[in-house]
Amino acid sequence: MHTNHLQVDKRKVKKKPIHNHKRSHVKSSIIRLMAVTSLTTLLLTGCWDNHELESLAFVTVLGIDEGKHDNLKITYQYFTPTTEAPKVHGAPLITTFEAPSFGVAENIANVTTDRMITSQQLKVTMIGEKFGKKNDVARVLEGMVRSRTYRRDIMLITSIESANTTIRANRSKLGSTSLDFIENMRNQHSFTGLMPVETLNDFLVANESGDRLAYTALVAINKPAPLSKMAGEDVNREAGQFSRQGGDDKVEFAGAEIYRADRAAGRLTGQEARILLMLKHEVKTFLVGLRDPIHKERRNTLLIHQFLSPRVSAHLDKGRLHFIINVPLDATLDSSTAELNYVQDVTLRHKLEKQFNHSFEQETIDLIKRCQTEFKGDPFGLAYAIKWRFLTENDWKKFNYTKHFNEARFTVYYDVQISNFGKQRAPYGSD
């Protein structure tokens, strides 16, 4: 059998030109990229609204109080590019009015200025506590989420006085705007632990989950506290109760407002808020004063560092939920008037560590019991420690976590290690 083979002279075969195809492909890709870039630029600059920067007024702080006839009493603090610096142009602009919704509020606000009011730069929403106790706050705040002008990272604050009163009283003598003052306090929270930073998104997620109570930071105008309330550490007080004279601003941010069933249910002191945030690992450092375990009339100050998250485990013990919480901390002996050699004497050091551990363990248990009896829910978000044992969401819902939390037993351990002593020498007066 004979097979014919086709002979091809490779030297005579002409290659097809492909460079034109590549050029056209590259050209079309460039055109598409330019189109996307142009569209993105238009969107970012807000050209669809056809408003110049000079024609806008930006709301930065919004207050919510109870109005008449089921309306909201809205307070806007806003600025224009020429009124942003109060030390040059005077106090920030504030207006208060009543409206049935946030959308209508912006329309009404525009009758007070020739600028177009916009909430795209809104950073803080302040809720009057009286309003929060009587109204479904989550339902009201959902109106913000539906609007494209409000962002979900807006910080929520509850004011003991009306939001209108507090916003108007917030006047920094150092030249900061009210917004600057609040944002600076917000940035400092992880270094004091005296107030939480809860955003609109955090609040609504907690409210919808059903497993964790929502909360906000607490603000109040400082008032001299009665002598009967002046005992104890300052951190055991809530906003408005700190003993001081003068200062930058008469408005104070400390503590938290707990929300249950969408309504304000009660306040936490600064120390209680600090414990709440430690259990959630949202504190970096803070200072704490302790009476000396040997010389009771003298004091030590520890700088606490929270590097590691608390270790939380949970199990059912004869049907009763049992949480075991271990909080590891590192500490620096910041100052001491005890004149004891805590640097070299390990036994003394362990006594100081034990005193701190015992104090915070008791305060944590007291706070948990308060949440179980007064607030009737879990603001700590501890459900994850037991939820993983349930295979389906329906099984978890049938478990009724909130009921089990309110009846749960807690074992709490604090484990502080003093690893730094400031100046590396024995204290004055020690051998």
Side-chain angles (χ1 to χ4, degrees), residues 59-71:
V59 178
T60 54
V61 181
L62 183 151
I64 306 174
D65 294 303
E66 188 171 22
K68 298 177 181 178
H69 309 298
D70 296 325
N71 283 329

Side-chain angles (χ1 to χ4, degrees), residues 36-327:
V36 172
T37 304
S38 300
L39 179 60
T40 303
T41 303
L42 289 172
L43 291 174
L44 291 176
T45 55
C47 291
W48 71 90
D49 283 333
N50 197 27
H51 293 302
E52 298 295 335
L53 180 63
E54 292 77 9
S55 69
L56 297 175
F58 299 97
V59 178
T60 54
V61 181
L62 183 151
I64 306 174
D65 294 303
E66 188 171 22
K68 298 177 181 178
H69 309 298
D70 296 325
N71 283 329
L72 301 175
K73 187 176 183 180
I74 303 289
T75 299
Y76 278 163
Q77 178 179 289
Y78 60 97
F79 71 89
T80 68
T82 58
T83 61
E84 186 174 5
K87 57 186 176 183
V88 177
H89 300 282
L93 305 172
I94 299 175
T95 182
T96 303
F97 47 87
E98 296 190 8
S101 67
F102 297 110
V104 174
E106 287 193 20
N107 284 336
I108 298 176
N110 280 291
V111 305
T112 68
T113 176
D114 61 348
R115 306 296 181 95
M116 177 62 70
I117 296 286
T118 175
S119 299
Q120 292 178 344
Q121 296 298 317
L122 179 63
K123 300 292 184 64
V124 178
T125 293
M126 191 176 295
I127 304 163
E129 186 181 50
K130 183 179 179 180
F131 173 85
K133 288 181 176 180
K134 296 172 62 178
N135 294 272
D136 186 338
V137 174
R139 179 183 57 80
V140 173
L141 293 177
E142 283 177 357
M144 289 186 171
V145 179
R146 296 179 183 277
S147 173
R148 66 184 178 92
T149 60
Y150 295 96
R151 303 177 308 188
R152 280 181 170 259
D153 62 349
I154 297 169
M155 181 180 176
L156 296 184
I157 300 174
T158 299
S159 173
I160 293 178
E161 291 83 14
S162 70
N164 174 38
T165 300
T166 302
I167 291 173
R168 293 180 181 275
N170 193 6
R171 294 289 181 270
S172 170
K173 300 180 181 67
L174 298 179
S176 301
T177 64
S178 178
L179 173 63
D180 291 336
F181 186 86
I182 295 172
E183 287 204 314
N184 290 338
M185 297 298 295
R186 172 180 183 166
N187 295 334
Q188 291 178 172
H189 94 281
S190 62
F191 299 102
T192 65
L194 296 180
M195 60 172 279
V197 173
E198 192 83 345
T199 66
L200 172 63
N201 185 71
D202 297 331
F203 186 94
L204 294 179
V205 168
N207 182 72
E208 292 170 2
S209 72
D211 299 332
R212 181 174 78 81
L213 297 182
Y215 53 81
T216 71
L218 189 67
V219 64
I221 299 173
N222 179 262
K223 303 178 183 66
L227 291 176
S228 60
K229 293 186 178 181
M230 299 301 284
E233 301 290 343
D234 270 345
V235 294
N236 288 325
R237 301 173 191 157
E238 60 193 35
Q241 295 181 345
F242 286 74
S243 56
R244 63 184 175 98
Q245 292 181 345
D248 176 30
D249 198 318
K250 60 181 179 180
V251 171
E252 296 175 351
F253 292 82
E257 183 81 36
I258 301 292
Y259 282 77
R260 176 172 54 85
D262 305 331
R263 302 191 180 195
R267 309 168 190 164
L268 300 185
T269 66
Q271 178 68 349
E272 289 174 326
R274 176 182 284 172
I275 292 171
L276 167 64
L277 296 178
M278 274 198 295
L279 295 188
K280 298 186 67 179
H281 195 205
E282 294 181 4
V283 180
K284 292 181 180 178
T285 62
F286 62 90
L287 289 165
V288 59
L290 294 170
R291 292 191 180 276
D292 188 78
I294 307 299
H295 303 296
K296 304 297 184 182
E297 74 282 1
R298 301 184 181 183
R299 290 192 175 256
N300 303 300
T301 301
L302 297 180
L303 177 62
I304 305 299
H305 311 272
Q306 188 177 24
F307 297 122
L308 303 175
S309 299
R311 297 187 294 272
V312 182
S313 61
H315 63 275
L316 288 172
D317 184 5
K318 297 180 180 179
R320 185 184 183 188
L321 191 56
H322 181 199
F323 285 95
I324 302 173
I325 303 173
N326 190 296
V327 186

